[in-house]
Amino acid sequence: MNTDRLKGYVLAAIAAAAYGTNPAFAIPLYEQGMNPSTVLLFRYAMGLPFLALIMYARGITFRLSKEEIGPTAILGILMSLSSLTLFESYNYMNSGIASTLLFVYPIMVAVMMIFFFHEKFKLTVALCLLIMSGGLILLMKPQGGQTLSPYGCLLVMVSALTYALYIIFVNVSKIIKAIPTTKLLFYVLAWGCMVYIVMIPLGYDVILPAIPTGWLNLLALALIPTVLSLGCTTRAIQLIGSTPTAIFGALEPVSAVILSITLLGQSITARDILGGLLIIVATTIVIADKSVDKAILHVRKMFPKIHHH
Protein backbone atom coordinates (compact mmCIF):
# COMPACT_ATOMS: atom_id res chain seq x y z
CA MET A 1 0.00 0.00 0.00
CA ASN A 2 1.43 3.40 -0.94
CA THR A 3 1.91 6.10 1.70
CA ASP A 4 -0.81 8.37 0.25
CA ARG A 5 -3.45 5.66 0.65
CA LEU A 6 -2.27 4.85 4.15
CA LYS A 7 -2.34 8.56 5.03
CA GLY A 8 -5.87 8.79 3.58
CA TYR A 9 -7.11 5.88 5.73
CA VAL A 10 -5.52 7.31 8.89
CA LEU A 11 -7.02 10.77 8.22
CA ALA A 12 -10.47 9.26 7.52
CA ALA A 13 -10.32 7.35 10.83
CA ILE A 14 -9.23 10.49 12.78
CA ALA A 15 -12.04 12.49 11.09
CA ALA A 16 -14.64 9.88 12.12
CA ALA A 17 -13.44 9.70 15.73
CA ALA A 18 -13.38 13.52 16.02
CA TYR A 19 -16.88 13.87 14.53
CA GLY A 20 -18.12 11.40 17.16
CA THR A 21 -17.50 14.01 19.88
CA ASN A 22 -20.37 16.26 18.64
CA PRO A 23 -23.06 15.19 21.15
CA ALA A 24 -20.59 15.20 24.09
CA PHE A 25 -20.03 18.96 23.64
CA ALA A 26 -23.43 20.01 22.23
CA ILE A 27 -25.86 18.43 24.70
CA PRO A 28 -24.51 20.26 27.83
CA LEU A 29 -25.11 23.52 25.89
CA TYR A 30 -28.73 22.56 25.21
CA GLU A 31 -29.11 21.89 28.93
CA GLN A 32 -28.01 25.51 29.49
CA GLY A 33 -30.87 26.65 27.27
CA MET A 34 -28.95 27.27 24.02
CA ASN A 35 -30.61 26.36 20.70
CA PRO A 36 -28.98 24.42 17.82
CA SER A 37 -28.63 27.42 15.46
CA THR A 38 -26.76 29.51 18.09
CA VAL A 39 -24.51 26.59 19.08
CA LEU A 40 -23.64 26.08 15.40
CA LEU A 41 -23.12 29.79 14.70
CA PHE A 42 -20.52 29.93 17.51
CA ARG A 43 -19.07 26.53 16.51
CA TYR A 44 -18.43 27.72 12.94
CA ALA A 45 -17.41 31.30 13.86
CA MET A 46 -14.91 30.16 16.50
CA GLY A 47 -13.29 27.80 14.01
CA LEU A 48 -12.55 30.65 11.56
CA PRO A 49 -9.68 32.42 13.45
CA PHE A 50 -7.81 29.09 13.82
CA LEU A 51 -8.07 28.38 10.09
CA ALA A 52 -7.14 32.00 9.29
CA LEU A 53 -3.98 31.64 11.43
CA ILE A 54 -3.00 28.40 9.66
CA MET A 55 -3.57 30.06 6.27
CA TYR A 56 -1.52 33.11 7.30
CA ALA A 57 1.33 30.93 8.63
CA ARG A 58 1.40 28.91 5.40
CA GLY A 59 1.16 31.98 3.20
CA ILE A 60 -2.15 30.87 1.63
CA THR A 61 -4.06 33.72 0.00
CA PHE A 62 -7.59 34.56 1.21
CA ARG A 63 -8.61 35.67 -2.28
CA LEU A 64 -11.34 33.65 -4.02
CA SER A 65 -11.57 33.67 -7.80
CA LYS A 66 -15.00 34.16 -9.45
CA GLU A 67 -15.15 30.44 -10.28
CA GLU A 68 -14.51 29.48 -6.64
CA ILE A 69 -17.31 31.56 -5.07
CA GLY A 70 -20.23 29.36 -6.22
CA PRO A 71 -18.75 25.93 -5.34
CA THR A 72 -17.49 27.05 -1.89
CA ALA A 73 -20.92 28.60 -1.15
CA ILE A 74 -22.68 25.33 -2.14
CA LEU A 75 -20.36 23.36 0.17
CA GLY A 76 -20.92 25.84 3.03
CA ILE A 77 -24.71 25.61 2.66
CA LEU A 78 -24.63 21.78 2.47
CA MET A 79 -22.40 21.53 5.54
CA SER A 80 -24.44 24.01 7.59
CA LEU A 81 -27.72 22.25 6.73
CA SER A 82 -26.19 18.88 7.63
CA SER A 83 -24.99 20.23 11.01
CA LEU A 84 -28.29 22.00 11.74
CA THR A 85 -30.54 19.01 11.04
CA LEU A 86 -28.28 16.68 13.08
CA PHE A 87 -28.09 19.09 16.06
CA GLU A 88 -31.86 19.68 15.84
CA SER A 89 -32.46 15.90 15.93
CA TYR A 90 -30.79 15.69 19.38
CA ASN A 91 -33.90 17.48 20.69
CA TYR A 92 -36.15 14.66 19.48
CA MET A 93 -34.13 11.52 20.12
CA ASN A 94 -31.22 9.97 21.99
CA SER A 95 -28.02 11.52 20.58
CA GLY A 96 -26.30 8.11 20.34
CA ILE A 97 -29.11 6.78 18.15
CA ALA A 98 -29.12 9.97 16.06
CA SER A 99 -25.34 9.73 15.53
CA THR A 100 -25.66 6.05 14.57
CA LEU A 101 -28.57 6.66 12.18
CA LEU A 102 -26.50 9.35 10.45
CA PHE A 103 -24.32 6.57 9.11
CA VAL A 104 -26.62 5.74 6.28
CA TYR A 105 -24.57 8.44 4.50
CA PRO A 106 -21.79 6.04 3.34
CA ILE A 107 -24.53 3.97 1.64
CA MET A 108 -25.90 7.17 0.01
CA VAL A 109 -22.37 8.14 -1.16
CA ALA A 110 -21.67 4.68 -2.62
CA VAL A 111 -25.04 4.52 -4.42
CA MET A 112 -24.81 8.08 -5.83
CA MET A 113 -21.21 7.54 -6.99
CA ILE A 114 -22.31 4.40 -8.88
CA PHE A 115 -25.50 5.88 -10.39
CA PHE A 116 -24.45 9.44 -11.19
CA PHE A 117 -20.67 9.28 -11.57
CA HIS A 118 -20.31 5.78 -13.06
CA GLU A 119 -18.04 4.51 -10.30
CA LYS A 120 -17.60 0.77 -10.84
CA PHE A 121 -19.92 -1.34 -8.68
CA LYS A 122 -17.65 -3.46 -6.51
CA LEU A 123 -18.67 -6.52 -4.57
CA THR A 124 -16.37 -5.41 -1.75
CA VAL A 125 -18.29 -2.13 -1.37
CA ALA A 126 -21.61 -4.04 -1.30
CA LEU A 127 -20.17 -6.46 1.28
CA CYS A 128 -18.84 -3.58 3.42
CA LEU A 129 -22.15 -1.75 3.38
CA LEU A 130 -23.99 -4.94 4.33
CA ILE A 131 -21.67 -5.74 7.27
CA MET A 132 -21.65 -2.08 8.32
CA SER A 133 -25.48 -1.89 8.28
CA GLY A 134 -25.59 -4.96 10.53
CA GLY A 135 -23.17 -3.29 12.95
CA LEU A 136 -25.14 -0.04 12.99
CA ILE A 137 -28.45 -1.85 13.64
CA LEU A 138 -26.84 -3.56 16.66
CA LEU A 139 -25.50 -0.22 17.99
CA MET A 140 -28.85 1.51 17.51
CA LYS A 141 -31.20 0.61 20.32
CA PRO A 142 -33.87 2.81 21.91
CA GLN A 143 -33.57 2.96 25.71
CA GLY A 144 -36.37 1.48 27.80
CA GLY A 145 -38.54 0.46 24.85
CA GLN A 146 -39.13 4.03 23.62
CA THR A 147 -40.14 4.39 19.97
CA LEU A 148 -37.99 6.42 17.59
CA SER A 149 -39.36 9.89 16.78
CA PRO A 150 -40.34 9.96 13.06
CA TYR A 151 -39.49 13.69 12.89
CA GLY A 152 -36.12 13.06 14.57
CA CYS A 153 -35.40 10.29 12.05
CA LEU A 154 -36.36 12.56 9.14
CA LEU A 155 -33.98 15.26 10.42
CA VAL A 156 -31.11 12.73 10.62
CA MET A 157 -31.86 11.49 7.06
CA VAL A 158 -31.69 15.07 5.74
CA SER A 159 -28.39 15.49 7.64
CA ALA A 160 -27.00 12.27 6.11
CA LEU A 161 -28.08 13.27 2.58
CA THR A 162 -26.59 16.78 2.74
CA TYR A 163 -23.33 15.35 4.19
CA ALA A 164 -23.20 12.69 1.44
CA LEU A 165 -23.66 15.42 -1.19
CA TYR A 166 -20.87 17.46 0.47
CA ILE A 167 -18.47 14.49 0.30
CA ILE A 168 -19.32 13.75 -3.36
CA PHE A 169 -18.99 17.40 -4.37
CA VAL A 170 -15.51 17.63 -2.78
CA ASN A 171 -14.58 14.49 -4.73
CA VAL A 172 -15.92 15.40 -8.18
CA SER A 173 -15.46 19.18 -8.46
CA LYS A 174 -12.21 20.09 -10.20
CA ILE A 175 -12.45 23.68 -8.89
CA ILE A 176 -12.78 22.45 -5.28
CA LYS A 177 -9.91 19.99 -5.70
CA ALA A 178 -7.58 22.85 -6.67
CA ILE A 179 -8.29 24.85 -3.47
CA PRO A 180 -5.95 24.16 -0.50
CA THR A 181 -7.75 22.20 2.26
CA THR A 182 -7.43 24.93 4.93
CA LYS A 183 -8.69 27.66 2.60
CA LEU A 184 -11.60 25.49 1.46
CA LEU A 185 -12.57 24.80 5.06
CA PHE A 186 -12.28 28.49 5.96
CA TYR A 187 -14.83 29.40 3.29
CA VAL A 188 -17.09 26.42 4.06
CA LEU A 189 -17.34 27.68 7.67
CA ALA A 190 -17.68 31.32 6.57
CA TRP A 191 -20.61 30.52 4.23
CA GLY A 192 -22.04 28.27 6.95
CA CYS A 193 -21.98 31.21 9.40
CA MET A 194 -23.97 33.26 6.87
CA VAL A 195 -26.71 30.58 6.88
CA TYR A 196 -27.03 30.79 10.68
CA ILE A 197 -26.89 34.63 10.65
CA VAL A 198 -29.72 34.74 8.07
CA MET A 199 -31.79 32.56 10.46
CA ILE A 200 -31.65 35.18 13.26
CA PRO A 201 -34.23 37.59 11.71
CA LEU A 202 -36.43 34.52 11.02
CA GLY A 203 -37.00 34.15 14.75
CA TYR A 204 -34.08 31.93 15.77
CA ASP A 205 -32.87 33.72 18.90
CA VAL A 206 -29.19 34.01 19.76
CA ILE A 207 -28.76 32.55 23.25
CA LEU A 208 -25.40 32.76 25.03
CA PRO A 209 -24.06 30.01 27.34
CA ALA A 210 -25.50 30.25 30.85
CA ILE A 211 -22.20 29.37 32.56
CA PRO A 212 -18.57 30.21 31.62
CA THR A 213 -17.67 26.55 30.94
CA GLY A 214 -20.20 26.71 28.10
CA TRP A 215 -17.66 28.74 26.12
CA LEU A 216 -15.15 25.89 26.55
CA ASN A 217 -17.71 23.49 25.10
CA LEU A 218 -18.21 25.82 22.13
CA LEU A 219 -14.44 26.07 21.63
CA ALA A 220 -14.13 22.26 21.76
CA LEU A 221 -16.94 22.00 19.15
CA ALA A 222 -15.12 24.50 16.92
CA LEU A 223 -11.81 22.64 17.11
CA ILE A 224 -12.51 18.89 17.35
CA PRO A 225 -15.60 17.94 15.28
CA THR A 226 -15.21 21.01 13.02
CA VAL A 227 -11.65 22.12 12.17
CA LEU A 228 -9.97 18.76 12.89
CA SER A 229 -12.72 16.45 11.56
CA LEU A 230 -13.63 18.39 8.41
CA GLY A 231 -9.97 19.10 7.62
CA CYS A 232 -9.11 15.39 7.84
CA THR A 233 -12.24 14.41 5.85
CA THR A 234 -11.48 16.81 3.00
CA ARG A 235 -7.85 15.66 2.73
CA ALA A 236 -8.85 11.97 2.98
CA ILE A 237 -11.33 12.39 0.08
CA GLN A 238 -8.50 13.86 -2.02
CA LEU A 239 -6.22 10.90 -1.17
CA ILE A 240 -8.55 7.86 -1.23
CA GLY A 241 -11.84 9.04 -2.80
CA SER A 242 -15.31 9.59 -1.39
CA THR A 243 -16.63 6.03 -0.94
CA PRO A 244 -13.73 4.69 1.23
CA THR A 245 -13.73 7.95 3.27
CA ALA A 246 -17.48 7.64 3.84
CA ILE A 247 -17.25 3.98 4.88
CA PHE A 248 -14.50 4.92 7.36
CA GLY A 249 -16.97 7.41 8.79
CA ALA A 250 -18.84 4.45 10.28
CA LEU A 251 -16.10 4.33 12.94
CA GLU A 252 -17.78 7.43 14.39
CA PRO A 253 -20.52 5.59 16.35
CA VAL A 254 -17.79 3.24 17.67
CA SER A 255 -15.88 6.27 19.01
CA ALA A 256 -19.19 7.65 20.40
CA VAL A 257 -19.82 4.37 22.26
CA ILE A 258 -16.24 4.29 23.63
CA LEU A 259 -16.59 7.95 24.76
CA SER A 260 -19.91 7.29 26.49
CA ILE A 261 -18.38 4.37 28.41
CA THR A 262 -15.15 6.13 29.39
CA LEU A 263 -16.47 9.67 30.01
CA LEU A 264 -20.12 9.20 30.91
CA GLY A 265 -19.72 5.87 32.69
CA GLN A 266 -22.40 4.16 30.60
CA SER A 267 -22.53 0.36 30.53
CA ILE A 268 -21.63 -1.69 27.46
CA THR A 269 -23.50 -4.76 26.25
CA ALA A 270 -22.39 -7.75 24.15
CA ARG A 271 -24.60 -6.27 21.43
CA ASP A 272 -22.56 -3.01 21.47
CA ILE A 273 -19.29 -4.94 21.22
CA LEU A 274 -20.58 -7.06 18.32
CA GLY A 275 -21.93 -3.97 16.51
CA GLY A 276 -18.59 -2.19 16.92
CA LEU A 277 -16.66 -5.25 15.72
CA LEU A 278 -18.81 -5.56 12.57
CA ILE A 279 -18.12 -1.91 11.71
CA ILE A 280 -14.37 -2.44 12.27
CA VAL A 281 -14.53 -5.54 10.00
CA ALA A 282 -16.27 -3.47 7.29
CA THR A 283 -13.60 -0.73 7.44
CA THR A 284 -10.84 -3.39 7.37
CA ILE A 285 -12.36 -4.78 4.14
CA VAL A 286 -12.05 -1.31 2.58
CA ILE A 287 -8.32 -1.29 3.37
CA ALA A 288 -7.81 -4.87 2.15
CA ASP A 289 -9.94 -4.04 -0.93
CA LYS A 290 -7.83 -5.77 -3.64
CA SER A 291 -7.23 -9.04 -1.79
CA VAL A 292 -10.90 -9.29 -0.75
CA ASP A 293 -11.96 -8.73 -4.38
CA LYS A 294 -9.70 -11.63 -5.42
CA ALA A 295 -11.15 -13.88 -2.69
CA ILE A 296 -14.74 -13.10 -3.80
CA LEU A 297 -13.77 -13.85 -7.41
CA HIS A 298 -12.34 -17.25 -6.38
CA VAL A 299 -15.59 -18.08 -4.56
CA ARG A 300 -17.65 -17.07 -7.60
CA LYS A 301 -15.53 -19.25 -9.88
CA MET A 302 -16.41 -22.23 -7.68
CA PHE A 303 -20.06 -21.64 -8.63
CA PRO A 304 -19.93 -21.03 -12.40
CA LYS A 305 -23.74 -21.04 -12.75
CA ILE A 306 -23.89 -17.65 -11.04
CA HIS A 307 -22.42 -16.07 -14.19
CA HIS A 308 -25.27 -17.25 -16.44
CA HIS A 309 -28.21 -16.00 -14.41
Side-chain angles (χ1 to χ4, degrees), residues 9 128 132 244 247-251 278-288:
Y9 293 136
C128 283
M132 195 183 85
I247 291 172
F248 255 81
L251 287 170
L278 284 176
I279 288 170
I280 291 163
V281 166
T283 47
T284 311
I285 291 173
V286 178
I287 300 173

Side-chain angles (χ1 to χ4, degrees), residues 69-237:
I69 294 170
T72 52
I74 291 168
L75 282 181
I77 292 164
L78 285 173
M79 187 39 82
S80 57
L81 289 177
S82 179
S83 299
L84 186 65
T85 43
L86 179 66
F87 273 47
E88 198 66 66
S89 76
Y90 296 162
N91 285 322
Y92 296 90
M93 65 205 296
N94 172 299
S95 64
I97 295 171
S99 296
T100 309
L101 262 180
L102 178 69
F103 283 84
V104 296
Y105 85 77
I107 299 168
M108 293 176 174
V109 170
V111 170
M112 286 193 274
M113 287 304 291
I114 291 161
F115 278 101
F116 300 114
F117 299 99
H118 314 294
E119 198 173 81
K120 213 169 89 219
F121 174 75
K122 287 166 118 179
L123 282 168
T124 38
V125 171
L127 185 67
C128 283
L129 296 175
L130 199 68
I131 295 170
M132 195 183 85
S133 305
L136 293 172
I137 289 164
L138 287 174
L139 283 178
M140 194 182 78
K141 53 181 190 307
Q143 264 78 21
Q146 70 197 48
T147 51
L148 287 181
S149 147
Y151 185 61
C153 289
L154 176 70
L155 284 169
V156 180
M157 289 305 120
V158 173
S159 181
L161 178 63
T162 42
Y163 193 50
L165 290 169
Y166 174 91
I167 285 182
I168 290 170
F169 197 55
V170 170
N171 190 42
V172 298
S173 164
K174 286 190 171 70
I175 296 170
I176 291 296
K177 276 186 171 164
I179 303 172
T181 307
T182 323
K183 180 175 175 177
L184 176 62
L185 213 50
F186 178 85
Y187 282 103
V188 165
L189 295 190
W191 288 113
C193 281
M194 301 286 187
V195 173
Y196 303 128
I197 291 167
V198 166
M199 288 171 67
I200 298 168
L202 302 176
Y204 287 84
D205 297 335
V206 173
I207 302 157
L208 300 180
I211 48 174
T213 52
W215 291 103
L216 289 175
N217 275 30
L218 285 170
L219 185 63
L221 272 176
L223 291 178
I224 301 169
T226 314
V227 173
L228 177 65
S229 181
L230 294 181
C232 290
T233 302
T234 309
R235 192 71 192 105
I237 296 166

Side-chain angles (χ1 to χ4, degrees), residues 285-305:
I285 291 173
V286 178
I287 300 173
D289 190 7
K290 301 273 189 294
S291 42
V292 176
D293 262 343
K294 273 186 196 151
I296 293 174
L297 212 66
H298 280 307
V299 173
R300 281 186 62 180
K301 280 178 180 162
M302 287 156 72
F303 304 97
K305 280 186 184 159

